[in-house]
Amino acid sequence: MALITLRKNLYRLSDFRMHGAALKSQPLNHVHKVVKERLCPWFCSRQPEPFRIRFHHAHCKKFNSKNGNDLHPLSGPVFSQISDWVRLEQNVKNGESQTFYKRLSNLTSSEEVLSFISTMETLPDTMAAGALQRICEVEKKDGDQGLPKEILENSIFQALCFQLEKEPSQLSNTTLVTALQALILLHVDPQSSLLLNLVAECQNRLKKGGLEVPNLCVLGESLIRLHSSGCVTLELIINQLQGEKLETFTPEDIVALYRILQACAEKVDEHQTFLNKINNFSPSIVSNLSPKLISQMLTALVVLDQSQAFPLIIKLGRYVVRHVPYFTNEELRRVLEAFMYFGYHDRFFTKALENRVAAVCLTLDPEVVCGVMEYCGRKRILSKPILNAVAETFVCQSEKFSPSQISALMEPFGKLNYLPPNASALFRKLENVLFTHFDYFPPETLLKLLHSCSLNECHPVNFMAKIFNPFFLQRLQGEESHLDRLNRARLTQLFLTAVLECPFYKGPKLLRKYQVKSFVTPCCSLETPMDSQLYKSVKIGLIDLLGAKLYFAPKVLTPYCYTVDVEIKLDEEGFVLPFTVNEDIHERIALCIDGPKRFCSTSKHLLGKEAIKQRHLRLLGYQVVQIPYYEIGMLKSRRELVEYLQRKLFSQNTVHW
């Protein structure tokens, strides 16, 4: 049935006719039986107890029935022939549809949409689907929830659904997939006859190859949301889309295609040739993508592990900058995850992120705040506006962060070796949270948090006794046979901090079995490895300055777990000793050959783990000499290098070699 009659005033039950006889001659329960046989519950309830929605007899008062089952409008012709339906639909498209959709787009609630629909004498299926789509749009603005009960029980809304359910084979492709999409977004019961009929009709047309590109894309995304078709139907959609020219796809279709492929990520190898084709084409449509579509495309690229599509990622990164103010919290979080995954960052994005966070940090979702901080930490971005805003947010709203989020929020302060202006209030708030909720923090999360505090000289003295307690260490180890190396390295450095920087600490010591001999670990080292190219340059200058390679040693592991880049030994009179000599050593010089990775990105600010290393080496008696990459890079000749090293090492002119 292509058309239904929607009137403001409902006809009384006595107005119905059946095969020319008055319906009032039939028992009332017969009317209920007819309706119940034809219609079934459609929508999932949001109530604790699921309720079922059926048509009420008041809704049935609008229709006259010829056979007791097929309900048609009481007034006007019955459009049973497909040619009549197509003709009328085309007439509506030519005249009334533009006015209809324009008015529909101005409505801001489901009640307004249904009220508007009720004023119409006839409603083609295309408009019925459009009305459902508009209801979906206005309801989604209030969150990802189902429809209110009063909408579900509204007779006009039920009539819309019944019209689409009764003869799905009569619907056009666009109407069919649009209705399916809207109903799925409105949380239709997947097992309802309404949805099953529409899905079955879509699959039938899909197998016959009768769906166009836009409809294939909408259908694919709808089935993904439905979570019931698996990859079989999606594979069929992908196979049909592969035969189409990408130039005919809209930007929305391209993103939908990525999302369909994302749903079949386990078969990414089979589709890689097609993916390469899409990746090469997609940069041409990036400028037309909305913030939501850019976020979805980046997420799909992550799931599909398309690291080789770097031209596309760079293009997306450039356009992300202009959309930063308009991303939702979830979209921004996904963009940050993608950039961290692909290792992408640039100063324009950082600036846009600074403006967004500084302006609305107090209203940002905790997950987004943690995502921003994780992004800054991973990319070594010392953004004072971001760090200051986040510090202020934590001081004002610490209660909205979970233990894992607090750790993720605080760790970048230590990693980037930065104390915000409100550092005293920040760490006082952190201390209060730890005192109150200490047992709620997972052991590893707590250790990472306290270790990061020690990196920038905010020592957690009040909690060290608990950390070094055997009971806590057993909890940290869990069911494993031994504690992993990274956590043992953190414990060792925290204990070394207590010994060197907190002489007033009198609590328990860290047991020897939990200590490491070196802070260099294979995965996440507490020291940044020496830049090999930078060392080669410095080595040439040292040989020229000292006379031979015999007088210095690279990569020396100290008894205190740190590895010194270059060590030079001096006797009591200031003479340089061969590195093989282990007696009569009066002073040790530790050269820190600091490459770019030991500093915050595009900055001369040392990372926290390098700052604590140099601080501890000084406390252990070393003369620490820093040789940063940006100073070496300014030297233009070998002679300048030697003179530079002489000034750095022997500025007092008291050393001999």
Side-chain angles (χ1 to χ4, degrees):
M1 181 176 65
L3 300 177
I4 60 174
T5 300
L6 295 165
R7 302 183 182 276
K8 288 184 178 179
N9 301 318
L10 302 178
Y11 294 105
R12 287 192 296 243
L13 190 62
S14 59
D15 292 331
F16 278 84
R17 299 287 185 270
M18 184 178 294
H19 292 288
L23 186 62
K24 63 182 179 181
S25 64
Q26 299 292 338
L28 184 62
N29 60 358
H30 175 73
V31 178
H32 283 285
K33 181 179 179 182
V34 170
V35 173
K36 290 181 179 179
E37 287 177 352
R38 291 294 303 155
L39 305 173
C40 66
W42 286 329
F43 293 86
C44 302
S45 171
R46 295 189 299 169
Q47 308 297 325
E49 294 292 333
F51 65 89
R52 296 295 184 180
I53 301 301
R54 296 182 182 275
F55 277 73
H56 303 292
H57 66 273
H59 164 63
C60 298
K61 293 177 186 177
K62 298 179 181 180
F63 297 94
N64 182 49
S65 174
K66 287 188 176 181
N67 55 16
N69 290 327
D70 295 331
L71 301 175
H72 295 285
L74 182 64
S75 60
V78 175
F79 293 95
S80 57
Q81 300 298 320
I82 187 65
S83 58
D84 294 332
W85 175 80
V86 171
R87 176 180 55 79
L88 184 57
E89 184 182 47
Q90 289 174 344
N91 291 337
V92 171
K93 283 184 178 179
N94 293 335
E96 300 177 7
S97 64
Q98 292 183 0
T99 303
F100 172 82
Y101 286 113
K102 184 176 181 180
R103 289 190 61 185
L104 197 64
S105 64
N106 292 328
L107 304 178
T108 58
S109 69
S110 299
E111 292 81 1
E112 290 181 2
V113 174
L114 295 175
S115 177
F116 168 56
I117 293 299
S118 69
T119 65
M120 304 186 66
E121 289 289 334
T122 58
L123 189 73
D125 292 326
T126 52
M127 291 186 179
L132 279 179
Q133 190 174 38
R134 184 57 186 167
I135 291 173
C136 174
E137 290 172 355
V138 298
E139 290 296 330
K140 284 296 174 180
K141 292 179 181 178
D142 297 326
D144 191 22
Q145 297 180 340
L147 284 172
K149 183 177 179 179
E150 56 270 19
I151 300 298
L152 294 174
E153 294 180 341
N154 184 287
S155 60
I156 302 298
F157 179 77
Q158 292 178 347
L160 286 175
C161 296
F162 178 61
Q163 176 179 355
L164 296 169
E165 178 190 18
K166 192 170 187 305
E167 295 183 11
S169 61
Q170 300 289 330
L171 303 177
S172 68
N173 289 342
T174 300
T175 302
L176 179 65
V177 298
T178 301
L180 178 64
Q181 181 187 48
L183 292 169
I184 289 174
L185 289 173
L186 290 172
H187 300 283
V188 182
D189 181 357
Q191 300 305 314
S192 67
S193 62
L194 170 62
L195 202 61
L196 291 175
N197 287 348
L198 294 181
V199 170
E201 179 61 27
C202 287
Q203 291 177 332
N204 183 47
R205 297 188 191 186
L206 177 64
K207 292 175 182 178
K208 294 179 179 179
L211 296 177
E212 302 83 5
V213 168
N215 298 326
L216 287 170
C217 294
V218 172
L219 175 60
E221 287 204 286
S222 300
L223 294 178
I224 292 171
R225 291 189 180 96
L226 195 58
H227 300 295
S228 65
S229 296
C231 262
V232 177
T233 306
L234 294 179
E235 282 288 331
L236 187 57
I237 293 175
I238 293 171
N239 290 336
Q240 291 190 22
L241 289 173
Q242 285 188 38
E244 304 291 338
K245 293 183 178 180
L246 293 179
E247 291 77 8
T248 64
F249 285 51
T250 66
E252 292 78 8
D253 294 338
I254 292 293
V255 176
L257 181 52
Y258 271 114
R259 286 169 56 79
I260 294 169
L261 289 164
Q262 174 187 342
C264 300
E266 65 276 7
K267 297 185 178 181
V268 64
D269 292 338
E270 299 177 15
H271 302 138
Q272 190 57 59
T273 302
F274 186 38
L275 267 169
N276 291 340
K277 182 180 176 182
I278 304 171
N279 292 340
N280 292 333
F281 173 78
S282 294
S284 64
I285 55 98
V286 167
S287 61
N288 297 318
L289 297 180
S290 67
K292 179 179 179 180
L293 293 178
I294 286 182
S295 172
Q296 290 177 342
M297 182 179 285
L298 283 169
T299 300
L301 290 171
V302 169
V303 175
L304 296 168
D305 190 25
Q306 297 299 293
S307 300
Q308 74 279 7
F310 216 71
L312 173 58
I313 296 166
I314 292 174
K315 187 77 173 286
L316 286 168
R318 290 174 180 170
Y319 278 87
V320 159
V321 173
R322 63 186 65 182
H323 292 307
V324 167
Y326 311 108
F327 284 122
T328 65
N329 284 340
E330 179 63 18
E331 289 165 0
L332 180 58
R333 186 182 65 81
R334 291 183 179 276
V335 168
L336 290 168
E337 287 180 351
F339 282 1
M340 285 186 281
Y341 183 85
F342 294 118
Y344 176 87
H345 73 98
D346 67 36
R347 58 190 178 91
F348 300 107
F349 175 69
T350 300
K351 183 63 178 177
L353 198 59
E354 288 175 349
N355 294 336
R356 166 93 184 248
V357 172
V360 297
C361 193
L362 290 174
T363 62
L364 285 178
D365 184 79
E367 283 292 331
V368 178
V369 175
C370 294
V372 171
M373 292 297 283
E374 184 182 2
Y375 174 74
C376 291
R378 281 200 193 182
K379 307 313 298 179
R380 313 192 321 275
I381 299 172
L382 180 59
S383 171
K384 294 182 181 180
I386 290 177
L387 296 174
N388 293 345
V390 170
E392 188 64 34
T393 299
F394 181 71
V395 170
C396 298
Q397 302 176 346
S398 61
E399 67 281 352
K400 77 177 186 179
F401 295 95
S402 68
S404 60
Q405 289 171 342
I406 292 174
S407 178
L409 182 148
M410 294 299 298
E411 284 176 40
F413 287 101
K415 182 172 183 178
L416 301 172
N417 188 28
Y418 177 73
L419 292 175
N422 66 338
S424 59
L426 174 66
F427 287 96
R428 191 184 309 116
K429 175 65 73 172
L430 176 61
E431 187 175 40
N432 292 337
V433 170
L434 289 175
F435 272 127
T436 307
H437 304 290
F438 186 88
D439 292 333
Y440 292 95
F441 282 78
E444 186 170 358
T445 299
L446 186 61
L447 177 58
K448 288 169 62 179
L449 173 59
L450 297 181
H451 176 263
S452 66
C453 291
S454 70
L455 295 181
N456 51 9
E457 299 185 83
C458 297
H459 308 304
V461 180
N462 293 327
F463 304 98
M464 285 182 176
K466 295 183 178 182
I467 291 294
F468 301 142
N469 186 288
F471 176 71
F472 176 85
L473 296 173
Q474 188 60 45
R475 285 181 57 208
L476 182 63
Q477 181 174 325
E479 299 180 358
E480 301 296 327
S481 59
H482 60 278
L483 193 59
D484 68 275
R485 183 177 175 83
L486 179 58
N487 279 325
R488 288 193 296 124
R490 289 188 180 122
L491 285 167
T492 304
Q493 192 170 54
L494 201 56
F495 179 62
L496 189 59
T497 299
V499 172
L500 295 176
E501 301 189 67
C502 307
F504 45 85
Y505 172 72
K506 303 300 180 184
K509 297 181 179 180
L510 180 65
L511 299 177
R512 179 69 64 178
K513 67 176 182 178
Y514 293 112
Q515 298 182 25
V516 296
K517 295 182 178 180
S518 172
F519 289 138
V520 177
T521 58
C523 54
C524 302
S525 178
L526 299 189
E527 296 183 64
T528 307
M530 180 171 56
D531 187 306
S532 58
Q533 293 299 320
L534 189 59
Y535 168 68
K536 290 179 181 179
S537 300
V538 174
K539 181 177 71 172
I540 294 172
L542 286 175
I543 292 174
D544 289 348
L545 177 63
L546 302 179
K549 190 178 178 181
L550 176 67
Y551 293 104
F552 64 92
K555 299 181 181 179
V556 178
L557 178 62
T558 70
Y560 312 103
C561 308
Y562 290 109
T563 299
V564 174
D565 295 334
V566 173
E567 184 183 70
I568 298 174
K569 301 173 182 177
L570 305 177
D571 65 10
E572 190 172 359
E573 297 180 3
F575 284 95
V576 179
L577 299 173
F579 73 85
T580 54
V581 174
N582 294 316
E583 298 178 355
D584 300 324
I585 301 173
H586 178 70
E587 187 175 9
R588 296 175 187 267
I589 300 176
L591 267 67
C592 295
I593 304 176
D594 296 328
K597 292 185 179 180
R598 292 185 178 179
F599 296 88
C600 296
S601 179
T602 65
S603 168
K604 298 179 181 179
H605 190 83
L606 271 178
L607 294 175
K609 61 182 177 180
E610 303 306 323
I612 193 174
K613 173 183 177 179
Q614 295 185 17
R615 195 165 67 241
H616 283 180
L617 288 175
R618 289 189 181 94
L619 292 171
L620 290 166
Y622 283 86
Q623 178 188 338
V624 176
V625 176
Q626 188 180 8
I627 310 291
Y629 75 97
Y630 52 84
E631 291 183 359
I632 294 293
M634 295 175 64
L635 305 176
K636 299 179 180 179
S637 66
R638 190 162 174 170
R639 179 176 178 178
E640 287 186 7
L641 174 61
V642 173
E643 292 174 350
Y644 167 81
L645 292 173
Q646 184 173 8
R647 289 194 304 271
K648 279 281 188 176
L649 294 171
F650 313 128
S651 58
Q652 303 300 321
N653 293 322
T654 58
V655 182
H656 310 278
W657 63 91

